Amino acid sequence: MAAAGALERSFVELSGAERERPRHFREFTVCGIGTANALAGAVKYSESAGGFYYMESGKLFSVTRNRFIHWKTSGDTLELVEESLDVNLLNNTVRLKFQNCSLLPGGVHISETQNHVIILILTNQTVHRLLLPHPSRMYRSELVIESQMQSIFTDIGKVDFRDPCNSQLIPAVPGLSPNSTTSAAWLSNDGEALFALPSASGGIFVLKLPPYDIPGMVSVVELKQSSVMQRLLIGWMPTAIRGDQGPSDRPFALAVHCVEHDAFIFALCQDHKLRMWSYKDQMCLMAADMLEYVPTFKDLRLAAGTGHKLRLAYSPSMGLYVGVYMHAPKQGQFCIFQLVSTENNRYSLDHISSLFTSQETLIDFAITSTDIWAMWHDAENQTVVKYINYEQYGSLTSVMLPHPKDNAAGQWNSVFMHSLPEEEIILRDDQDPREMYLQNLFTPGRFINAALCKALQIFCRGTERKSDLSWSELKKEVTLAVESELQGSVTEYEFSQEEFRNLQQEFWCKFYACCLQYQEALSHPLALHLNPHTNMVCLLKKGYLSFLVPSSLVDHLYLLPDENLLAEDEAAISDDVDIARDVMCLIKCLRLIGESVTMDMAAVMEMSCYNLQSPEKAAEQILEDLITIDVENVMEDICSKLQEIKNPIQAIGLLVREMDYETEVEMEKGFNPAQPLNIRMNLSQLYGGNTAACIVCRGVCKIASTRFLICRDLLILQHLLMRLGDAVILGAGQLVQDQQDLLHRTTPLLLSYYLIKWGSQCLATDVPVDTLESNLQHLSVLELTDSGAVMANKFVSSPQTIVELFFQEVARKHIISHLFSQPKAPLSQTGLNWPEMITATTNYLLQLLWPSNPGCLFLECLMGNCQYVQLQDYIQLLRPWCQVNVGSCQFMLGRCYLVTGEGQKALDCFRHAASEVGKEEFLDRLIRSEDGEIVSTPKMQYYDKVLRLLDVVGLPELVIQLASSILTEAGGDWKSQATLRTCIFKHHLDLGHNSQAYEALTQIPDSSRQLDCLRQLVVVLCERSQLQDLVEFPYVNLHNEVVAIIESRARAVDLMTHNYYELLYAFHVFRHNYRKAGTVMFEYGMRLGREVRTLRGLEKQGNCYLAAVNCLRLIRPEYAWIVHPASGAVYDRPGASPKRNHDGECTAAPTNRQIEILELGDLEKECSLARIRLTLAQHDPAAVAVAGSSSAEEMVSLLVQAGLFDTAISLCQTFKLPLTPIFEGLAFKCIKLQLGGEAAQAEAWSWLAANQLSSVITTKESSATDEAWRLLSTYLERYKVQNNLYHHCVINKLLSHGVPLPNWLINSYKKVDAAELLRLYLNYDLLEEAVDLVSEYVDAVLGKGHQYFGIEFPLSATAPMVWLPYSSIDQLLQALGENSANSHNIALSQKILDKLEDYQQKVDKATRDLLYRRNL
């Protein structure tokens, strides 16, 4: 349609009512002032409302952009609300209660200055001024960049309502006119607050409050027709009441227009005259009789002008316009004037236009420099809103119309009002009453929260219920209340299902009627609010606020009343007259069909769409029903109108194209980076408030609902055309194929609008934070977290529909950036025109929601915000007929199935989506790599993302299943093959499928990955203790790698918490490689002794060496050897840092390390040593720390120290070590015991018990010392060596500690080596003992006690030769002779000499006898 966008004739009302908890008003009480009369305060006025717009509300870069205030008065209560379409205002509601006063209707006037917003309030007894901060002074930044901001009412609690500078009692003189409800208030240039009221004497009095920051007096000025000023200060008494001020002159409506240093007060009086006063000059500057502009004024002349209304509109370019509504019975007239200045400071009215209306009760009207907006109540108590461009009909000014109703019927443009919910809900037999009533009550856009809360309070009589309920809480309360009432009314215990259903329906119907009643009451209109800067029109109703938005031409034509449609300008449809007429006829046919379709028929189409059935068949069925029940011959009328259409195919095609939002190009995403940052930040919050989102999305819902009806009727009409046949309707040139094509274009159109309507009424689910975080983790795997469509949603208190959620989270920023990407004018000069902006925003949102358009941001948004149930339902409704984004839908449906636990379905969806990779934008973005590298085919990249998603979700079975199925698709791509088989291996391993994991491992073509997986297999099976599987796998071509991995792990991890050595031992034993097994266990034992200094470590060490010995015993002797493992420092640990010298240089590894071979005997020795270590550790726990890695020599010392002499001797014998340290150690212990006390004696029994004594003495009590000496004696007797080394070392130890030698030891040593004993005596200067020993020895040689010295044959001529240790005796004599003064030494020396003399004599005799015998 050529002119479709050029002329938008009608508007649609969209409710901006909140669905969340009712507004929480902060309440304040304004106490009475002075002598306020309580009786006068009891006067009740009608409820009123009004609004205030900021001067810069239409500027793009302003803090007050799209921001306004509205109020409602009721009795003594004033409710103030500040609204913003861009941000959510905090603390934006306040309720003021004025004691003993009633607010005048319309008695609230708001002005703004640079720093303040000033609210002037008039009651029937007082006036008030509230001073609040201006928004531009509340924020540091001039940009709107936050989603929440404080309202100007935030700090209203700090206001002193009793401050006499800002509140004043209306003086009794001149007094307020009785029954007067009009008022006016304004601010002067000096900051004074002025209040104009009709006076009791018939004039106007003006009360003035001084500026808030300058002390001053309150004054009153009365304006009278004589132009004489009477100044009355408060407290003055009246001098007279003039008689020329009759009640007919009393102002009935007041309005003020401020000019520089003056204010013009317009008064519409009861005598039907409009007077203009100058406040500065205090004189009447103009008086005009309004009846001169009324065609039939005779009846009006006699009646008081009580129904007249007055409005002003100022345009900087056009001047001041005055709008007057003249009320007459059964009709009304609007007169528009322009104020014209004449000479001598006089003014006159230039009549612009007179417009007539047939409506009776005018609620409110507003004018601009071009339009009149009016709101009425009709005879059926329905709200009617219309507007008209009075400049367009200015020619009517010269015409006196006798019947204005007939002549002006087509002039007013309609506003399609938001209708109340249907009065009755018709239920089918298969529908549950509770479910259907709840659906109708809580469908978005039907009932407001306040109506439901009030109905609930009435329904539950006497029951206290919370009024501050959320939407979901309210639904539960309603259900509980109705069910409770139902159960309370049941008196019988048993009744049929049908009776229960009827009872259920009765109670739900009762509650529904109550809700309907309150909804109707709260929908009562109070005022119009028109912002000339943005051309935004709002309706202020008793319970909520609604907005008017333009209607498109198609919707406009379909919804227009019949009388308006007849007068519609066809040029607005098309430049081609024939086409325009065809379209008009087509619309009329559609309207006739729509009016004929019953609720049941409409339900048939709705259900066919919902149940995924063919809409064409439903249309065919509806057509059959229409023909069947056609009592009023409507079908004949339709057929006759179809005859008037010259080219129905073209007309239908034009209508279909007009309603189709399909585009080939996807809307660009994000703001233009070329724009400055502050502009982008400011634009980012445009229409970001909850209210704006609600309006836009309800606008979309309204369009979708209307267009769905149009498409439905169009489908029915097309079936009618096909039934009538080509020849009858279409003419010779038309083909059935054209009809079929149009039919197939209309069906997806209808389904698209149904889907959008469904989404606009489907509530989003509130999602817990942990679910959002989990979802974000899954999306991060898909690398979609940077997409604007998957921002985690922070829910506001109101339950959003999924379309609202999409608009707020994603679509709004795309739409705004698109709108301002290429502005026609500089953005700083761009004003916000509400009709244009809301129309463009709605259209772009419809494009983003349109199912057949490229891109699927809507679906992404639902997925990103965890709306899985809604997403699943949406795709199910979309899938049967829409062939766009098929793969993307399948992928997201798979995500839904994953969340609901239907993994197999999810897998099927992911597989189906794979075929669309490379064809759809979402899937292309899904496979796009972060670094931009393409590592494989797009399909394999897609599968990789899916596999990663399934992995993160925790579905290894599905990962294996999918990876196995796509192996064939990988073909010869060995990288993909390696990736897939690695994936299969990993998840088989996770599931404990060890054999399958090993099989997958062997098939990995990439050796590097195969080695990594092998390492993982080893580690995991070890951690799970599934060692048998690990050992028994064949490891074809991987044997060395497995051994290297296990060895590496064994040498790199803690020995006591991991058993890799034992695993390796089992691995080699299983393969009969006993030498390797022995080597492993020997190394294990070595490291245990070195690194694990615990008793448990020593036990394991012994077992390790024993296992190593057993391994070598299983080998033939010539092969029973192993290589000594390297020390710990030489292990090549993976990842270990290189060793460095003191200069920091890396030291070279030793290359000529000598290889040491260990045979079976060596291992047996080590095994014995390990057992002895364990014995020591068990006896002395303190020795554990040093025993593990000690050598045999060191162990002997440790054993001796611990008193384990038997064990030490055994060790020495095994390693062929001398026993000298043992005897020395035992001798030392004997010395300590002999010199020690009782504590030493008691301690000695522990180590004495660990040694086996030869016998136990029972004849007398034996001490520990005795037992120790006896143990020593036993060892000396048992372990005899050449040279009697052990006796020597014991005696030497005793003598070195100054301990006398026990007799048994002396006697023992005398038998074996008396000469050495003598030398020892000499070494330790024991001269006397040496002298005695020499004497005894000489005697023994001579035959006296020779058996005690081990002399078998004493001196005799027939015996072998004997000898004496002359050197030692000489040393003794020399030592005795060194101290000649010592008589005792001399005596001892003499004793030896005598003994030697005797010996010499006997030797001489024996020698002679021997020689004699030889000579014989």
Side-chain angles (χ1 to χ4, degrees):
M1 297 183 187
L7 182 61
E8 291 166 341
R9 301 293 307 276
S10 59
F11 278 70
V12 179
E13 180 196 13
L14 299 177
S15 169
E18 308 80 9
R19 291 191 307 277
E20 74 271 18
R21 293 177 175 87
R23 289 188 186 275
H24 177 66
F25 283 90
R26 292 175 298 150
E27 298 193 6
F28 300 93
T29 300
V30 182
C31 300
I33 302 171
T35 58
N37 188 344
L39 292 176
V43 176
K44 295 296 182 183
Y45 298 105
S46 62
E47 290 183 326
S48 68
F52 162 78
Y53 51 83
Y54 291 94
M55 293 300 293
E56 294 188 348
S57 59
K59 291 187 177 180
L60 194 58
F61 302 115
S62 169
V63 175
T64 56
R65 179 187 68 194
N66 288 324
R67 195 161 166 173
F68 60 96
I69 301 171
H70 61 92
W71 65 85
K72 185 185 79 171
T73 65
S74 177
D76 62 351
T77 303
L78 168 63
E79 293 180 354
L80 291 160
V81 180
E82 186 180 19
E83 296 275 7
S84 172
L85 300 181
D86 293 348
V87 294
N88 297 321
L89 295 176
L90 304 175
N91 303 306
N92 64 323
T93 57
V94 66
R95 181 181 287 128
L96 303 179
K97 190 176 180 67
F98 294 83
Q99 283 188 345
N100 301 328
C101 297
S102 293
L103 283 139
L104 295 178
V108 180
H109 306 270
I110 302 180
S111 304
E112 65 175 317
T113 63
Q114 190 172 3
N115 298 319
H116 294 97
V117 173
I118 299 167
I119 304 177
L120 305 177
I121 305 169
L122 297 98
T123 72
N124 61 338
Q125 298 190 73
T126 57
V127 295
H128 302 266
R129 172 172 58 192
L130 296 183
L131 204 68
L132 300 172
H134 195 277
S136 61
R137 293 293 177 264
M138 292 181 66
Y139 315 114
R140 296 180 181 177
S141 171
E142 294 184 358
L143 301 178
V144 182
I145 58 174
E146 299 175 1
S147 61
Q148 291 185 333
M149 298 175 76
Q150 293 291 344
S151 166
I152 63 169
F153 298 130
T154 297
D155 296 327
I156 197 171
K158 299 177 182 178
V159 174
D160 181 7
F161 296 107
R162 295 181 60 85
D163 184 359
C165 294
N166 292 314
S167 59
Q168 190 62 45
L169 195 67
I170 294 176
V173 178
L176 184 62
S177 173
N179 301 321
S180 175
T181 59
T182 187
S183 64
W186 71 97
L187 285 179
S188 70
N189 289 342
D190 299 327
E192 301 164 330
L194 299 116
F195 303 86
L197 293 158
S199 67
S201 59
I204 303 171
F205 77 88
V206 181
L207 188 150
K208 181 177 72 175
L209 296 181
Y212 70 93
D213 54 350
I214 301 175
M217 295 293 293
V218 176
S219 62
V220 174
V221 171
E222 185 174 8
L223 307 177
K224 297 188 178 181
Q225 289 186 24
S226 61
S227 299
V228 177
M229 178 273 293
Q230 223 177 26
R231 185 181 303 276
L232 301 171
L233 295 178
I234 290 181
W236 283 19
M237 295 298 292
T239 55
I241 298 178
R242 301 180 180 272
D244 57 349
Q245 304 297 320
S248 62
D249 305 332
R250 184 174 300 140
F252 191 80
L254 292 174
V256 175
H257 173 63
C258 294
V259 295
E260 189 176 359
H261 304 299
D262 198 0
F264 293 157
I265 304 173
F266 291 84
L268 185 58
C269 303
Q270 292 186 13
D271 60 359
H272 313 291
K273 291 185 178 179
L274 177 65
R275 297 178 173 87
M276 187 182 82
W277 298 78
S278 167
Y279 172 72
K280 177 183 176 184
D281 299 332
Q282 298 174 7
M283 60 185 297
C284 182
L285 302 181
M286 182 197 71
D289 189 354
M290 293 294 103
L291 294 182
E292 293 180 6
Y293 304 97
V294 179
T296 55
F297 61 84
K298 293 181 180 179
D299 296 336
L300 287 178
R301 179 70 69 183
L302 302 176
T306 54
H308 304 339
K309 296 184 183 297
L310 173 65
R311 298 290 184 269
L312 304 179
Y314 177 73
S315 168
S317 58
M318 303 299 293
L320 183 67
Y321 288 83
V322 181
V324 176
Y325 173 74
M326 302 296 292
H327 174 71
K330 298 184 180 181
Q331 65 178 17
Q333 177 180 336
F334 291 96
C335 296
I336 307 300
F337 305 95
Q338 190 170 14
L339 186 66
V340 179
S341 175
T342 60
E343 68 282 352
N344 300 326
N345 199 23
R346 293 292 177 179
Y347 292 85
S348 65
L349 294 177
D350 184 6
H351 185 206
I352 303 297
S353 180
S354 287
L355 304 165
F356 302 91
T357 173
S358 60
Q359 306 292 343
E360 293 191 17
T361 308
L362 180 71
I363 303 296
D364 193 15
F365 83 99
I367 67 169
T368 68
S369 58
T370 57
D371 298 325
I372 298 177
W373 288 82
M375 178 166 63
W376 295 269
H377 253 165
D378 63 9
E380 298 176 356
N381 206 28
Q382 297 294 319
T383 304
V384 176
V385 178
K386 295 184 178 181
Y387 79 99
I388 191 170
N389 185 315
Y390 56 76
E391 288 186 331
Q392 187 177 354
Y393 301 100
S395 58
L396 295 176
T397 56
S398 59
V399 179
M400 302 298 291
L401 296 175
H403 300 289
K405 176 178 177 180
D406 297 332
N407 290 282
Q411 299 169 12
W412 288 88
N413 299 307
S414 299
V415 174
F416 305 122
M417 302 301 294
H418 180 70
S419 59
L420 289 171
E422 53 270 18
E423 294 185 3
E424 186 179 356
I425 297 176
I426 300 174
L427 299 179
R428 299 195 308 271
D429 293 338
D430 60 336
Q431 291 177 327
D432 178 48
R434 177 175 66 179
E435 183 180 340
M436 295 307 299
Y437 274 99
L438 283 174
Q439 180 180 330
N440 278 273
L441 286 169
F442 290 93
T443 296
R446 285 180 177 267
F447 290 89
I448 64 172
N449 190 303
L452 296 175
C453 286
K454 287 181 179 291
L456 184 61
Q457 290 173 359
I458 294 298
F459 200 73
C460 306
R461 298 175 298 275
T463 305
E464 287 190 9
R465 293 194 180 261
K466 288 167 51 179
S467 59
D468 189 21
L469 295 173
S470 68
W471 198 241
S472 57
E473 291 170 344
L474 183 59
K475 189 173 184 178
K476 293 178 184 177
E477 288 289 329
V478 166
T479 306
L480 182 64
V482 177
E483 294 296 325
S484 299
E485 287 286 321
L486 188 151
Q487 293 172 9
S489 68
V490 173
T491 56
E492 300 178 7
Y493 291 102
E494 292 184 6
F495 43 84
S496 67
Q497 187 173 355
E498 184 179 354
E499 289 173 336
F500 176 75
R501 187 178 187 279
N502 292 336
L503 194 63
Q504 200 178 17
Q505 185 170 353
E506 177 187 338
F507 276 89
W508 277 105
C509 184
K510 180 181 174 184
F511 180 77
Y512 183 81
C514 194
C515 294
L516 202 61
Q517 182 180 352
Y518 278 107
Q519 180 74 15
E520 185 175 1
L522 293 172
S523 299
H524 180 76
L526 297 177
L528 277 168
H529 173 54
L530 188 152
N531 185 344
H533 301 296
T534 61
N535 295 319
M536 183 174 74
V537 182
C538 300
L539 304 186
L540 306 176
K541 299 192 175 184
K542 187 173 181 178
Y544 58 91
L545 177 72
S546 63
F547 296 79
L548 303 187
V549 300
S551 174
S552 69
L553 185 57
V554 174
D555 299 359
H556 165 77
L557 294 174
Y558 185 76
L559 296 174
L560 266 182
D562 290 336
E563 62 271 16
N564 293 56
L565 188 62
L566 294 172
E568 190 65 36
D569 184 8
E570 294 177 350
I573 300 173
S574 175
D575 297 333
D576 189 323
V577 178
D578 292 337
I579 294 176
R581 286 177 182 171
D582 284 353
V583 171
M584 286 295 290
C585 287
L586 181 63
I587 293 291
K588 290 173 185 177
C589 292
L590 295 178
R591 289 160 58 93
L592 284 172
I593 292 174
E595 292 166 2
S596 303
V597 171
T598 63
M599 291 182 64
D600 289 339
M601 296 177 188
V604 169
M605 182 61 77
E606 293 264 357
M607 293 305 295
S608 70
C609 295
Y610 184 75
N611 294 327
L612 310 180
Q613 297 168 352
S614 170
E616 296 181 19
K617 291 183 179 179
E620 218 170 334
Q621 180 186 339
I622 294 172
L623 178 61
E624 290 285 349
D625 295 341
L626 285 174
I627 294 173
T628 304
I629 64 171
D630 186 18
V631 180
E632 300 178 0
N633 297 323
V634 176
M635 301 309 294
E636 289 186 12
D637 294 342
I638 295 172
C639 291
S640 64
K641 288 189 180 298
L642 283 174
Q643 297 285 355
E644 300 174 12
I645 303 177
K646 295 181 179 180
N647 192 336
I649 297 296
Q650 186 177 16
I652 294 172
L654 183 65
L655 195 61
V656 168
R657 284 195 301 275
E658 183 65 24
M659 292 190 293
D660 194 350
Y661 282 91
E662 184 173 344
T663 59
E664 296 297 330
V665 182
E666 187 178 1
M667 190 184 298
E668 58 267 18
K669 301 176 182 179
F671 289 99
N672 183 1
Q675 292 176 339
L677 177 62
N678 63 332
I679 292 178
R680 281 181 279 148
M681 292 175 67
N682 198 296
L683 290 176
S684 68
Q685 290 301 328
L686 185 60
Y687 298 133
N690 292 340
T691 304
C694 181
I695 298 165
V696 171
C697 296
R698 284 188 179 172
V700 166
C701 184
K702 180 64 178 177
I703 292 173
S705 301
T706 305
R707 300 280 178 87
F708 175 77
L709 297 178
I710 295 173
C711 292
R712 179 200 67 189
D713 298 343
L714 193 57
L715 266 183
I716 297 170
L717 184 67
Q718 289 180 68
H719 277 287
L720 178 61
L721 281 170
M722 294 180 68
R723 180 184 288 259
L724 294 174
D726 292 350
V728 178
I729 299 297
L730 304 176
Q734 299 294 334
L735 299 175
V736 176
Q737 185 61 41
D738 294 336
Q739 292 186 61
Q740 292 288 350
D741 291 344
L742 277 176
L743 199 64
H744 296 324
R745 285 178 59 192
T746 308
T747 300
L749 208 60
L750 175 134
L751 291 169
S752 297
Y753 280 118
Y754 175 80
L755 199 56
I756 293 171
K757 184 180 77 163
W758 176 86
S760 301
Q761 295 177 340
C762 177
L763 289 178
T765 307
D766 200 351
V767 183
V769 175
D770 54 346
T771 305
L772 282 173
E773 291 176 351
S774 173
N775 182 56
L776 198 62
Q777 181 185 3
H778 298 166
L779 293 173
S780 66
V781 171
L782 301 175
E783 299 175 9
L784 290 175
T785 48
D786 59 345
S787 170
V790 294
M791 295 291 290
N793 175 49
K794 300 174 179 61
F795 269 86
V796 292
S797 59
S798 65
Q800 298 166 298
T801 65
I802 56 175
V803 171
E804 285 178 33
L805 173 67
F806 173 60
F807 177 76
Q808 287 188 307
E809 296 298 319
V810 181
R812 181 182 61 83
K813 292 180 181 178
H814 287 272
I815 293 169
I816 299 303
S817 64
H818 183 73
L819 285 174
F820 292 96
S821 58
Q822 294 177 343
K824 298 176 183 177
L827 285 177
S828 58
Q829 301 174 13
T830 303
L832 294 174
N833 184 287
W834 168 254
E836 293 178 3
M837 289 296 295
I838 189 66
T839 300
T841 302
T842 305
N843 286 337
Y844 284 132
L845 180 56
L846 278 167
Q847 285 185 26
L848 291 173
L849 290 170
W850 200 251
S852 57
N853 276 344
C856 47
L857 286 176
F858 182 51
L859 300 178
E860 280 189 76
C861 176
L862 295 182
M863 181 177 70
N865 288 280
C866 305
Q867 304 299 313
Y868 300 116
V869 175
Q870 295 86 337
L871 177 58
Q872 193 170 341
D873 291 343
Y874 182 89
I875 294 174
Q876 296 292 4
L877 290 171
L878 178 71
R879 192 165 52 174
W881 58 271
C882 183
Q883 301 306 312
V884 179
N885 296 321
V886 175
S888 303
C889 289
Q890 286 289 337
F891 179 85
M892 294 184 197
L893 190 59
R895 283 273 291 120
C896 296
Y897 284 137
L898 282 183
V899 174
T900 56
E902 300 173 276
Q904 202 59 49
K905 289 183 180 179
L907 200 58
D908 292 340
C909 290
F910 291 142
R911 285 171 177 161
H912 291 148
S915 61
E916 302 298 321
V917 172
K919 303 175 185 177
E920 298 177 11
E921 185 273 338
F922 171 76
L923 295 178
D924 289 346
R925 186 154 39 87
L926 183 69
I927 65 175
R928 193 177 303 142
S929 177
E930 287 184 347
D931 53 9
E933 266 186 55
I934 306 291
V935 294
S936 60
T937 63
K939 188 173 287 190
M940 294 309 299
Q941 287 179 282
Y942 165 78
Y943 280 131
D944 178 59
K945 287 289 181 70
V946 174
L947 290 170
R948 288 166 60 187
L949 174 63
L950 294 173
D951 185 17
V952 171
V953 174
L955 297 171
E957 298 95 341
L958 296 185
V959 174
I960 294 168
Q961 191 175 340
L962 179 60
S964 301
S965 67
I966 59 180
L967 276 172
T968 54
E969 296 189 33
D973 185 357
W974 68 272
K975 286 187 177 180
S976 299
Q977 287 273 353
T979 302
L980 292 172
R981 294 194 183 278
T982 301
C983 183
I984 294 171
F985 159 79
K986 174 184 177 299
H987 290 90
H988 270 311
L989 188 61
D990 291 344
L991 290 170
H993 304 162
N994 299 341
S995 299
Q996 293 91 327
Y998 172 75
E999 184 180 351
L1001 167 71
T1002 59
Q1003 296 174 353
I1004 298 175
D1006 185 350
S1007 58
S1008 173
R1009 287 198 181 200
Q1010 190 178 46
L1011 193 59
D1012 291 339
C1013 292
L1014 185 61
R1015 186 176 294 108
Q1016 188 178 1
L1017 178 71
V1018 171
V1019 173
V1020 170
L1021 292 187
C1022 283
E1023 290 175 350
R1024 293 178 185 165
S1025 299
Q1026 295 175 333
L1027 304 181
Q1028 185 172 357
D1029 287 349
L1030 184 58
V1031 168
E1032 293 179 355
F1033 287 141
Y1035 300 109
V1036 179
N1037 299 326
L1038 293 172
H1039 181 274
N1040 293 336
E1041 287 80 358
V1042 174
V1043 172
I1045 290 171
I1046 301 177
E1047 283 182 350
S1048 174
R1049 296 292 299 177
R1051 292 168 180 169
V1053 299
D1054 181 43
L1055 293 173
M1056 297 304 288
T1057 56
H1058 298 83
N1059 55 357
Y1060 287 106
Y1061 277 108
E1062 294 173 9
L1063 169 65
L1064 197 55
Y1065 168 75
F1067 184 88
H1068 289 309
V1069 167
F1070 182 76
R1071 287 159 178 76
H1072 307 292
N1073 193 343
Y1074 297 112
R1075 182 194 290 171
K1076 285 270 190 175
T1079 304
V1080 167
M1081 295 312 287
F1082 186 77
E1083 180 182 323
Y1084 189 19
M1086 282 180 56
R1087 287 192 59 200
L1088 283 168
R1090 186 169 55 248
E1091 300 174 22
V1092 184
R1093 306 297 177 89
T1094 64
L1095 186 63
R1096 173 68 180 150
L1098 292 176
E1099 289 176 355
K1100 288 179 74 71
Q1101 185 186 44
N1103 293 335
C1104 290
Y1105 287 153
L1106 190 59
V1109 169
N1110 289 338
C1111 287
L1112 291 191
R1113 282 176 179 167
L1114 295 172
I1115 308 173
R1116 284 187 295 175
E1118 61 268 27
Y1119 298 113
W1121 55 268
I1122 63 172
V1123 176
H1124 192 293
S1127 63
V1130 186
Y1131 290 148
D1132 183 17
R1133 293 188 179 91
S1137 61
K1139 302 303 176 187
R1140 303 177 187 275
N1141 57 22
H1142 62 279
D1143 294 325
E1145 300 295 332
C1146 293
T1147 56
T1151 56
N1152 56 349
R1153 181 167 60 88
Q1154 187 174 359
I1155 296 176
E1156 183 181 354
I1157 301 297
L1158 297 177
E1159 296 182 344
L1160 180 59
D1162 299 323
L1163 290 185
E1164 289 173 341
K1165 287 181 181 180
E1166 288 294 335
C1167 186
S1168 174
L1169 179 59
R1171 285 198 302 271
I1172 291 172
R1173 287 172 181 153
L1174 179 60
T1175 302
L1176 173 63
Q1178 290 171 339
H1179 178 77
D1180 182 13
V1184 172
V1186 294
S1189 58
S1190 300
S1191 64
E1193 292 82 359
E1194 293 168 338
M1195 279 301 301
V1196 170
S1197 299
L1198 293 173
L1199 291 168
V1200 169
Q1201 185 179 351
L1204 302 178
F1205 298 104
D1206 284 352
T1207 308
I1209 291 170
S1210 172
L1211 178 62
C1212 289
Q1213 290 172 341
T1214 301
F1215 284 86
K1216 297 181 174 55
L1217 299 176
L1219 301 181
T1220 304
I1222 299 171
F1223 283 97
E1224 287 182 348
L1226 182 54
F1228 183 68
K1229 282 189 176 289
C1230 291
I1231 294 169
K1232 287 178 66 179
L1233 283 172
Q1234 189 165 326
L1235 300 177
E1238 292 183 3
Q1241 294 280 331
E1243 183 184 351
W1245 284 111
S1246 63
W1247 61 265
L1248 283 170
N1251 297 284
Q1252 294 182 354
L1253 297 174
S1254 58
S1255 62
V1256 180
I1257 299 175
T1258 58
T1259 55
K1260 67 183 184 71
E1261 185 177 348
S1262 176
S1263 67
T1265 307
D1266 296 337
E1267 290 298 316
W1269 286 114
R1270 193 160 68 85
L1271 181 63
L1272 180 60
S1273 173
T1274 303
Y1275 285 162
L1276 288 171
E1277 291 176 6
R1278 186 182 301 165
Y1279 305 109
K1280 297 178 180 179
V1281 293
Q1282 191 177 6
N1283 300 328
N1284 301 301
L1285 178 63
Y1286 302 144
H1287 284 80
H1288 177 275
C1289 72
V1290 169
I1291 293 171
N1292 190 46
K1293 175 66 74 172
L1294 293 174
L1295 294 179
S1296 66
H1297 285 79
V1299 176
L1301 299 179
N1303 289 331
W1304 64 266
L1305 181 58
I1306 295 172
N1307 294 334
S1308 174
Y1309 200 27
K1310 282 193 297 186
K1311 280 185 179 184
V1312 294
D1313 197 349
E1316 183 62 30
L1317 179 60
L1318 176 60
R1319 284 191 288 273
L1320 287 171
Y1321 279 156
L1322 289 174
N1323 288 342
Y1324 289 97
D1325 209 17
L1326 298 175
L1327 301 180
E1328 190 171 348
E1329 287 81 352
V1331 169
D1332 292 340
L1333 180 60
V1334 169
S1335 297
E1336 292 178 4
Y1337 191 57
V1338 171
D1339 289 341
V1341 170
L1342 296 177
K1344 183 182 178 180
H1346 62 88
Q1347 67 275 13
Y1348 296 112
F1349 283 85
I1351 300 174
E1352 186 175 355
F1353 302 101
L1355 181 64
S1356 169
T1358 59
M1361 289 186 291
V1362 295
W1363 58 276
L1364 285 177
Y1366 285 107
S1367 299
S1368 298
I1369 294 172
D1370 290 342
Q1371 291 177 8
L1372 176 60
L1373 291 173
Q1374 183 179 357
L1376 292 171
E1378 286 178 355
N1379 191 357
S1380 57
N1382 190 331
S1383 59
H1384 181 65
N1385 286 356
I1386 295 172
L1388 292 176
S1389 177
Q1390 188 59 44
K1391 180 179 178 180
I1392 293 174
L1393 291 172
D1394 291 344
K1395 187 64 73 175
L1396 288 175
E1397 182 66 27
D1398 183 40
Y1399 172 73
Q1400 291 292 342
Q1401 291 175 2
K1402 292 182 178 180
V1403 168
D1404 183 55
K1405 182 178 178 300
T1407 301
R1408 288 195 299 270
D1409 289 345
L1410 177 62
L1411 292 173
Y1412 173 74
R1413 286 178 179 276
R1414 286 181 177 177
N1415 294 327
L1416 289 179

